[in-house]
């Protein structure tokens, strides 16, 4: 076992698999067989056995057992290493996103932002639609800033913001974007990570055609204890998608539940089902 | 006639406010518009206090809270602000009305309606509490953490947390009971979110709660070993932090 550990440190699997394997097998066989021979020698010299008899059998069995034990051990260590690397990469990715967001945050001074929007409101005072639009935008941005320190938020808050967000998007797309939101009252007190709903809606719009001939319909409803965001599938061509958004959501959920985020794609529809959580105070 | 004073240093903002007020409540008379702390103090000393004051937090020469220190305002105050996390929190805790810029006509309407329905609008108690709070220059600290207990998700108060530690880029919180749970924030982030009076970043791996400290060993002039509940082994303050750690203990 010790030999295996030493080998892992000196010749890590990823870098020198061949060297590792050869050296390992060599050393262990050497060690084990040497041991067997020693025992046999002792047994012979104390007159318990004839030489060569049983030696072949002994060596064979010992090597077999050793090989088995070593394989299992290697497999375990290998798995541990893989697990460690995986969690490390998830963390790194998350840190990366966080860092990018923090940078963005420091570049936008909230005071400046909201004061500017306020000034803008005065300039378009004669246009009530514009005033409403700026109001929605402000409230959405405020929510983004506020919720960054919360791990989870209530469904009712997310739905509220989703409405505002959709109002903004509908100004862009007019009737080419249709929505239907139906959440029963009893689910409003559940929780989910902040801004997930908005991200999913944004994804729908980003990856699908939204036009007069092909309007996009987004439905938000409850299925069991999941919140579902569904849209009719009409993918845009030549899509450059990293899938980062969805991955980020899945990662965030992993902190709070073993339930999975479900992504279902049929020929006509695309659904993302996110688990709703109940927080006990 | 509701005599109203607007204290706002940005002209477009005050114009908009005026316009909105007139459209919501024809019975409002805007007696003056002021733009600075000094002008406001002088005005309140020489004029009869209005029924209502629309007061922006950020004025040309400073924060409007300074006005309250110089003169006692008898009017009903509704604050306005573009963005001030801390002040907003304080307003809510003290039941003080406030409006966020850009000002929403609906919300302004509601605020005015609320004011009109008050028989004897007296905010003096709440206002004093508010100013006192703002003096303390506290900030909004995270008070609760959400953790996954396997079958349940629980919200745990910061005071029940003995420490936070980080291992291989993962962060955990540790309760006094010894149980630890993963959290979704890095130690660096947590440092900015928690009250520094209670939590100290003692080294790269640990963020400890003052109340969790059980004993300390001074190993040398620049080396302190701290024992906290829930952790078997002592935690070494990183050499760079030893001095600030001593200062922090002394608070």
């Amino acid at each position: 076992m010790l030999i295996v550990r030493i080998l892992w440190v000196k010749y890590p699997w990823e870098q020198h698999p061949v060297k590792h394997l050869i050296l390992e097998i060599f050393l262990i066989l050497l060690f084990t067989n040497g041991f067997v021979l020693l025992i046999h020698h002792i047994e012979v010299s104390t007159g318990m056995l004839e030489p060569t008899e049983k030696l072949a059998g002994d060596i064979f069995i010992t090597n077999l057992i050793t090989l088995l034990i070593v394989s299992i051990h290697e497999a375990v260590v290998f798995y541990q290493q893989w697990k460690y690397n995986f969690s490390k990469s998830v963390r790194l990715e998350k840190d990366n996103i966080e860092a990018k967001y923090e940078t963005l945050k420091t570049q936008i001074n909230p005071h400046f932002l909201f004061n500017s929007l306020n000034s803008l409101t005065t300039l378009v005072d004669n246009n009530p639609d514009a005033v409403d639009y700026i109001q929605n935008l402000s409230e959405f941005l405020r929510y983004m800033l506020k919720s960054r320190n919360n791990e989870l938020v209530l469904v009712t808050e997310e739905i509220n913001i989703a409405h505002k967000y959709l109002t903004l998007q509908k100004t862009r797309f007019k009737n080419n974007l249709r929505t239907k939101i139906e959440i029963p009252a009893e689910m409003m007190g559940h929780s989910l990570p902040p801004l997930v709903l908005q991200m999913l809606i944004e994804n729908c719009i980003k990856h699908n055609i939204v036009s007069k001939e092909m309007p996009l319909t987004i439905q938000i409803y409850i299925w069991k204890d999941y919140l579902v965001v569904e849209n009719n599938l009409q993918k845009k061509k030549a899509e450059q998608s990293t899938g980062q958004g969805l991955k980020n959501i899945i990662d965030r959920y992993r902190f709070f539940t073993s339930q999975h985020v479900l992504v279902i794609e049929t020929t006509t529809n695309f659904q993302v089902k996110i688990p709703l959580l109940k927080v006990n105070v | 006639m509701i005599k109203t004073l607007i204290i706002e240093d940005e002209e477009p903002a005050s114009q908009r406010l005026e316009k909105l007020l007139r459209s919501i409540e024809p019975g409002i008379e805007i007696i003056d518009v002021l733009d600075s702390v000094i002008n406001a103090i002088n005005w309140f000393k020489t004029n009869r206090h209005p029924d209502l004051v629309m007061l922006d937090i950020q004025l040309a020469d400073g924060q409007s809270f300074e006005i309250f220190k110089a003169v006692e305002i008898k009017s009903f105050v509704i604050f306005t602000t573009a963005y001030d996390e801390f002040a907003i929190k304080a307003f809510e805790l003290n039941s003080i009305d406030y409006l966020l810029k850009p000002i929403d006509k609906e919300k302004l309407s509601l605020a005015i309606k609320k004011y009109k329905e008050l028989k004897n609008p007296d905010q003096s108690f709440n206002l004093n509490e508010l100013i006192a709070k703002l003096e303390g220059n506290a900030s909004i600290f995270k008070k609760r953490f959400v953790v996954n207990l396997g079958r349940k998700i629980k919200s745990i108060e910061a005071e029940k947390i003995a420490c936070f530690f980080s291992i291989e880029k993962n962060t955990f919180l540790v309760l006094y009971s010894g149980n630890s749970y993963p959290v979704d924030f890095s130690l660096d982030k947590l440092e900015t979110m928690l009250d520094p009076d209670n939590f100290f970043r003692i080294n790269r791996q640990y963020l400890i709660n003052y109340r969790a400290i059980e004993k300390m060993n001074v190993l040398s002039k620049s080396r302190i070993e701290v024992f906290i509940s829930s952790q078997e082994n002592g935690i070494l303050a990183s050499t760079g932090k030893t001095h600030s750690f001593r200062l922090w203990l002394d608070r």
Side-chain angles (χ1 to χ4, degrees):
Chain A
M1 299 305 142
L2 192 71
I3 295 175
V4 178
R5 285 264 161 209
I6 294 172
L7 277 169
W8 266 108
V9 172
K10 272 189 104 186
Y11 296 116
W13 194 249
E14 314 97 77
Q15 282 158 40
H16 313 278
V18 177
K19 228 187 208 160
H20 180 115
L21 198 60
I22 292 177
L23 208 60
E24 181 177 329
I25 292 177
F26 180 69
L27 280 173
I28 289 186
L29 284 176
L30 194 73
F31 191 73
T32 323
N33 288 317
F35 196 65
V36 171
L37 282 167
L38 185 69
I39 300 278
H40 193 91
H41 184 80
I42 293 175
E43 286 176 338
V44 165
S45 40
T46 57
M48 282 169 63
L49 282 173
E50 323 304 317
T52 71
E53 183 187 314
K54 212 170 159 274
L55 179 64
D58 269 344
I59 291 184
F60 182 67
I61 291 179
T62 315
N63 280 331
L64 205 65
I65 294 175
T66 310
L67 213 70
L68 191 70
I69 295 175
V70 170
S71 304
I72 293 174
H73 194 251
E74 280 289 332
V76 168
V77 177
F78 189 70
Y79 174 67
Q80 279 171 350
Q81 190 77 341
W82 176 85
K83 220 169 90 164
Y84 165 73
N85 282 332
F86 180 69
S87 85
K88 196 162 128 181
S89 75
V90 167
R91 247 291 141 188
L92 283 171
E93 216 169 84
K94 183 169 189 295
D95 281 349
N96 193 31
I97 295 173
E98 241 171 45
K100 283 195 186 138
Y101 180 61
E102 290 293 320
T103 321
L104 191 72
K105 226 182 15 148
T106 53
Q107 288 169 347
I108 303 175
N109 177 354
H111 262 287
F112 170 70
L113 178 64
F114 293 111
N115 272 320
S116 301
L117 289 169
N118 195 34
S119 300
L120 181 57
T121 310
T122 343
L123 292 172
V124 297
D125 209 16
N126 55 335
N127 185 343
D129 285 337
V131 173
D132 281 340
Y133 186 91
I134 296 170
Q135 197 65 45
N136 271 329
L137 183 60
S138 306
E139 287 177 42
F140 176 72
L141 291 168
R142 243 182 247 284
Y143 181 74
M144 276 186 84
L145 288 167
K146 188 182 89 160
S147 60
R148 71 189 181 225
N149 285 344
N150 295 339
E151 304 98 325
L152 297 174
V153 293
L154 294 173
V155 170
T156 184
E157 285 179 75
E158 279 279 297
I159 292 290
N160 195 22
I161 284 301
H163 276 295
K164 296 202 200 290
Y165 180 74
L166 283 165
T167 308
L168 295 173
Q169 294 289 30
K170 282 186 186 172
T171 309
R172 282 171 71 192
F173 298 108
K174 293 280 188 303
N175 206 26
N176 303 340
L177 177 66
R178 291 152 198 201
T179 58
K180 185 164 164 214
I181 304 180
E182 249 169 38
I183 311 287
E186 63 262 19
M187 294 312 271
M188 287 294 195
H190 280 63
S191 301
L192 70 168
L195 294 168
V196 168
L197 191 50
Q198 177 261 328
M199 238 188 265
L200 291 174
I201 298 172
E202 188 171 329
N203 267 357
C204 293
I205 297 172
K206 205 161 69 157
H207 301 312
N208 289 283
I209 300 172
V210 186
S211 71
K212 205 168 185 182
E213 296 81 39
M214 299 175 76
L216 184 70
T217 305
I218 301 179
Q219 294 183 71
I220 303 174
Y221 56 91
I222 297 288
W223 174 80
K224 295 198 183 166
D225 57 346
Y226 288 81
L227 182 66
V228 187
V229 178
E230 177 178 331
N231 62 283
N232 52 320
L233 194 61
Q234 38 197 46
K235 278 201 203 152
K236 277 190 192 155
K237 279 184 239 174
E239 258 285 284
Q240 288 285 8
S241 167
T242 59
Q244 190 74 297
L246 205 53
K247 254 199 287 180
N248 175 268
I249 293 174
I250 294 172
D251 285 343
R252 282 203 279 163
Y253 259 103
R254 241 190 247 142
F255 265 94
F256 302 107
T257 180
S258 50
Q259 270 182 294
H260 293 295
V261 170
L262 306 169
V263 181
I264 302 163
E265 184 174 327
T266 67
T267 44
T268 51
N269 284 334
F270 188 81
Q271 296 174 346
V272 180
K273 303 188 186 189
I274 51 178
L276 290 179
L277 315 164
K278 207 54 174 114
V279 179
N280 304 290
V281 182
Chain B
M1 264 287 142
I2 304 175
K3 293 201 193 297
T4 308
L5 178 67
I6 296 178
I7 307 182
E8 160 68 69
D9 66 329
E10 289 175 34
E11 214 181 297
S14 65
Q15 280 174 356
R16 174 173 160 80
L17 190 51
E18 230 180 301
K19 193 164 166 204
L20 282 176
L21 284 170
R22 287 194 216 281
S23 74
I24 290 169
E25 183 58 50
I28 281 187
E29 184 198 331
I30 309 222
I31 52 181
D32 213 338
V33 179
L34 308 170
D35 68 348
S36 65
V37 174
I38 194 91
N39 284 344
I41 293 174
N42 288 334
W43 193 97
F44 278 106
K45 284 191 173 156
T46 52
N47 289 282
R48 214 178 121 200
H49 293 194
D51 302 309
L52 180 64
V53 177
M54 304 296 297
L55 180 58
D56 194 40
I57 296 182
Q58 209 64 39
L59 295 175
D61 57 349
Q63 296 218 313
S64 57
F65 303 124
E66 300 294 316
I67 304 173
F68 295 95
K69 290 193 224 166
V71 59
E72 193 185 327
I73 299 181
K74 298 187 176 66
S75 328
F76 186 83
V77 180
I78 298 179
F79 286 91
T80 65
T81 177
Y83 182 83
D84 194 326
E85 276 188 280
F86 167 52
I88 291 169
K89 199 79 187 193
F91 293 146
E92 286 174 358
L93 287 172
N94 291 286
S95 314
I96 302 269
D97 283 324
Y98 70 96
L99 292 165
L100 294 167
K101 293 202 264 186
I103 296 187
D104 182 30
K105 187 172 175 178
E106 285 297 314
K107 298 202 169 107
L108 178 60
S109 188
L110 267 167
I112 301 295
K113 185 160 166 255
K114 230 176 100 183
Y115 162 69
K116 278 163 68 178
E117 284 166 4
L118 289 170
K119 287 283 150 93
N120 271 328
D122 182 13
Q123 290 173 312
S124 45
F125 178 72
N126 290 341
L127 271 176
N128 289 333
E129 285 272 304
L130 176 80
I131 304 302
K133 215 174 241 142
L134 296 170
E135 291 269 73
N137 213 23
S139 194
I140 310 167
F141 298 119
K142 191 157 170 68
K143 294 195 173 59
R144 279 183 276 273
F145 286 85
V146 179
V147 296
N148 182 8
L149 297 178
R151 296 203 145 268
K152 283 200 292 186
I153 295 174
K154 207 162 187 287
S155 181
I156 295 182
E157 275 143 26
E159 16 193 75
K160 299 211 173 102
I161 299 173
C163 69
F164 292 85
F165 73 88
S166 150
I167 190 167
E168 287 169 6
K169 291 243 166 200
N170 290 316
T171 314
F172 300 84
L173 63 78
V174 188
L175 302 175
Y176 282 93
S177 62
N179 290 334
S180 59
Y181 304 97
V183 290
D184 209 4
F185 304 102
S186 65
L187 276 187
D188 288 337
K189 181 116 211 276
L190 285 168
E191 243 189 300
T192 64
M193 290 162 72
L194 290 161
D195 188 348
D197 275 353
N198 295 332
F199 285 89
F200 188 77
R201 182 78 180 272
I202 196 164
N203 60 31
R204 279 227 57 77
Q205 288 81 34
Y206 278 90
L207 182 65
I208 63 174
N209 187 344
Y210 177 77
R211 284 183 197 85
I213 298 178
E214 286 181 342
K215 76 171 196 230
M216 289 179 279
N217 274 345
V218 180
L219 299 175
S220 72
K221 201 173 95 177
S222 54
R223 230 54 181 127
I224 300 184
E225 194 184 13
V226 181
F227 289 85
I228 61 169
S229 27
S230 82
Q231 298 293 304
E232 264 181 44
N233 302 321
I235 303 169
L236 270 177
S238 52
T239 34
K241 287 270 175 165
T242 308
H243 183 65
S244 37
F245 180 57
R246 285 182 199 268
L247 291 173
W248 176 73
L249 287 172
D250 235 352
R251 275 199 209 192

